[in-house]
Amino acid sequence: MKFNDMVKSGYFMYMAEAEGMDSLVDTRTAKLNAVRKELSYDPSFEEVEQLCLSHGITSVSPDEFQYITRGKI
């Protein structure tokens, strides 16, 4: 598949969202994935909060918090 075909098919956007490239894809999932990628191995609540705010997320549900920190805490 050529790059232009990937962009047209939406595959590029899907991959950008999955990789947390919230500068390219402005979705909540992209932002959550960006926060997840930037977290340290054993993040404090304050670290999670600051990273969320830096990516434009002002509140998270319990499920989203678990998703962000899964495998980290």
Side-chain angles (χ1 to χ4, degrees):
M1 184 179 273
K2 295 180 182 178
F3 181 76
N4 286 340
D5 295 334
M6 286 190 292
V7 171
K8 288 178 187 174
S9 73
Y11 184 72
F12 176 79
M13 301 306 259
Y14 164 77
M15 291 304 297
E17 181 180 69
E19 288 298 317
M21 296 179 171
D22 60 347
S23 60
L24 298 175
V25 182
D26 189 28
T27 64
R28 187 160 182 91
T29 301
K31 292 175 183 183
L32 292 172
N33 287 334
V35 170
R36 193 163 191 260
K37 283 182 72 172
E38 291 182 32
L39 282 179
S40 63
Y41 178 73
D42 187 17
S44 65
F45 177 80
E46 289 79 19
E47 180 185 359
V48 175
E49 181 179 43
Q50 287 301 315
L51 282 172
C52 284
L53 290 172
S54 73
H55 287 278
I57 300 172
T58 57
S59 65
V60 294
S61 70
D63 287 341
E64 289 174 329
F65 184 81
Q66 184 176 7
Y67 173 77
I68 292 169
T69 59
R70 183 181 55 204
K72 302 282 186 174
I73 295 178

